[in-house]
Amino acid sequence: MTGQRGAIAAGHPQTVEAGLEMFRLGGNAFDAAIAAMFASWVTEPALTSPGGGGFCLAHTQSGDNTLFDFFTQTPKVKRPQAEADFYPVIVDFGGVQQEFHVGLGAIATPGSLDGALHIHQRLGRLPLAEIAAPAIEFARRGVVISPFQHYVMELLEPILTASTQMQPVYAPQGQLLGVGESCVMRDFANALEFVVQEGAIAFREGDIAKLVVQDCREHGGHLTLDDLRHYRTFERQPLAVNYRGRTLLSNPPPSFGGTLIAFCLKLLERVDLRSLAFGSQAHLELLAMAMRQTGLARGDRLNSHIQQAGIAKDFLAPELLDIYAAGMSNPASKLGSTTHISAIDGDGNAASITASNGEGSSYAIPGTGIMLNNMLGEDDLNPDGFHRWPEDVRMSSMMAPSMVLAGEGLNRGKPEIVLGSGGSKRIRTAIAQVISNLVDFDMSVEHAVSSPRLHWDEGKLNVEPGFEDFDPEVLGDVLGDLIVPWEQKNMFFGGVHTVASREESRFSGAGDERRNGKTGWI
């Protein structure tokens, strides 16, 4: 399918519909993306929330590129570990388990609401009330639970229903809502209407903020009024890297994701992938080794230096790439509760938003229907260990809203691909594979997103079904890693919702089936 006015890809049909409505009203890609972001808080509440954080990569029709960082911030004061409300929860994907930590002691200073309002003020065209209207309507009317949303809610049931505030939303009759039932969020609708009227200050220092601070003080959280009052969205220069004549734009440090995607792609760039058949033994070995070398480089050269000025340039230096590329020729040598929105319009504007609530902390602000994040309880965001985070710094993330700008022709310098993904540790490998599918194998967007994926992490290579030449014994012998075959595609491997513009004013897109993704064009 193609469209001419605008296109959007996201994780739920009503999330997409909210964005399309903005195009109908004369809005731009940023209006569409923010409306979709608001809607996702209602349609995908187990994945995202105004109580979480995220990033938006924006390309304007004038050619400006900006990375809006509204990810979570560590609290200014760390209370003693023994006093923190912080405990583990095991989530089982069906064969692969991942441990997360929740409680008020897992909450970092949220930024999603501030980010949405900041981006709207900077780049939006329509009034905020019109942008928020679809989300408010969905919340009041209720959203029908899809099989995918029910699957996620079942995974996170111990977290979602631990709060007395959220039990009436997710389990109004005492048990989790089932497929086909409606999830109604009246308190959230009221809270969002209030925020539209009052602005970000309502979340920073009004009654909502005071409720959060009081509960944290009394029940084991770190947040203070100072944390909420001083939070601000940062504007950063995106990471820009050449890949086969195109320009990859992504999330820069202090976040990990964009830099690791760039590192992996620069390793792949050293091989003529067009000479390989997609999914062949040689292709799988190459992908796995590039992922493994990227992971090794992260541990060796990035984790402890991510806040250092100029770290991306140092990490992507040819000399360092040479070292890890050499290791590719010698093999011996997490549920990510995240969602993504990609939008593009006929004027040349594009927005790539990735946002997350983690798995949720299990704490919801009384009377608002807003569950806060558990970013201090995510192991991938705390590589030095829990409770060792430095105070008052913007947290690093694997989230990597990205774009690929055309390198030649009439569209040179304009967005050719807009994409991103949820998936915690799998974000970097999912995005890198879709970009490679599009650029190296010249796939359609639908084929690039739906093709099977693999993910390497800590000596394990997880492989989706669908690779014709996949042989776990042969691959295991060659790589020396534990091979984990999956029986079906799964949200474990991300959700790369993608839109593309490969012809003048013509758009295409694909929502990732792994996370119930949908697309829409006008």
Side-chain angles (χ1 to χ4, degrees), residues 2 28 39 51-52 66 92-93 106 130 160 186 206 240 244 284 390 392 399 428 442 467 491 510:
T2 59
N28 59 23
T66 305
D92 191 334
F93 287 90
E130 290 189 6
L160 298 178
R186 295 188 184 90
R244 302 197 194 275
L284 295 180
D392 198 26
M399 288 190 278
R428 64 184 186 270
D442 199 27
F467 291 110
M491 65 179 292

Side-chain angles (χ1 to χ4, degrees), residues 149-368:
Q149 292 298 331
H150 185 253
Y151 168 69
V152 177
M153 288 167 60
E154 281 189 316
L155 289 177
L156 301 179
E157 182 175 8
I159 300 172
L160 298 178
T161 59
S163 164
T164 56
Q165 293 289 322
M166 301 310 293
Q167 285 176 1
V169 174
Y170 296 115
Q173 304 301 321
Q175 60 184 13
L176 201 64
L177 289 169
V179 175
E181 295 187 282
S182 289
C183 181
V184 179
M185 304 175 69
R186 295 188 184 90
D187 285 346
F188 180 76
N190 294 335
L192 190 52
E193 282 186 332
F194 181 68
V195 167
V196 168
Q197 295 170 0
E198 300 295 323
I201 195 170
F203 210 76
R204 286 181 183 158
E205 51 188 278
D207 290 341
I208 293 176
K210 292 174 183 176
L211 282 172
V212 173
V213 170
Q214 178 180 335
D215 284 342
C216 283
R217 182 173 59 247
E218 296 178 358
H219 302 294
H222 303 280
L223 295 185
T224 65
L225 198 58
D226 217 23
D227 291 310
L228 300 176
R229 181 180 291 140
H230 291 102
Y231 183 91
R232 293 295 185 274
T233 295
F234 294 151
E235 296 186 17
R236 304 186 191 277
Q237 187 70 29
L239 177 71
V241 178
N242 181 280
Y243 183 66
R244 302 197 194 275
R246 295 166 169 85
T247 300
L248 167 70
L249 300 178
S250 196
N251 198 2
S255 286
F256 293 108
T259 306
L260 293 173
I261 290 169
F263 193 93
C264 186
L265 288 173
K266 294 303 282 187
L267 291 178
L268 293 176
E269 190 177 36
R270 294 168 177 241
V271 178
D272 180 12
L273 286 175
R274 291 180 182 271
S275 66
L276 305 179
F278 177 84
S280 64
Q281 178 74 12
H283 179 222
L284 295 180
E285 290 176 16
L286 179 66
L287 275 179
M289 288 189 285
M291 291 175 187
R292 180 171 58 188
Q293 293 304 98
T294 300
L296 294 175
R298 177 191 177 184
D300 294 343
R301 308 294 183 105
L302 193 62
N303 278 349
S304 59
H305 304 287
I306 193 64
Q307 300 286 343
Q308 178 182 308
I311 183 58
K313 182 179 179 181
D314 293 344
F315 189 71
L316 296 170
E319 314 85 73
L320 187 62
L321 285 161
D322 287 343
I323 295 172
Y324 289 92
M328 291 174 65
S329 61
N330 181 11
S333 74
K334 95 187 166 152
L335 167 71
S337 289
T338 308
T339 195
H340 181 80
I341 297 159
S342 296
I344 191 168
D345 66 33
D347 293 328
N349 299 300
S352 180
I353 295 179
T354 311
S356 176
N357 202 35
E359 292 66 46
S361 61
S362 82
Y363 168 79
I365 307 171
T368 68

Side-chain angles (χ1 to χ4, degrees), residues 7-9 29-30 32-34 37 54-60 66-70 119 123 238 248-251 261 339-345 349-355 399-404 415 417-422 427 431 435 495-499:
I8 185 167
F30 309 112
I34 295 302
M37 183 178 173
F55 306 87
C56 172
L57 177 59
H59 175 91
T60 67
T66 305
L67 189 288
F68 295 91
D69 178 346
F70 52 91
I119 297 162
L123 299 175
L248 167 70
L249 300 178
S250 196
N251 198 2
I261 290 169
T339 195
H340 181 80
I341 297 159
S342 296
I344 191 168
D345 66 33
N349 299 300
S352 180
I353 295 179
T354 311
M399 288 190 278
S402 302
M403 296 182 193
V404 176
I417 305 165
V418 183
L419 77 171
S421 179
I427 288 174
I431 293 174
I435 290 174
V496 190
H497 308 318
T498 307
V499 293

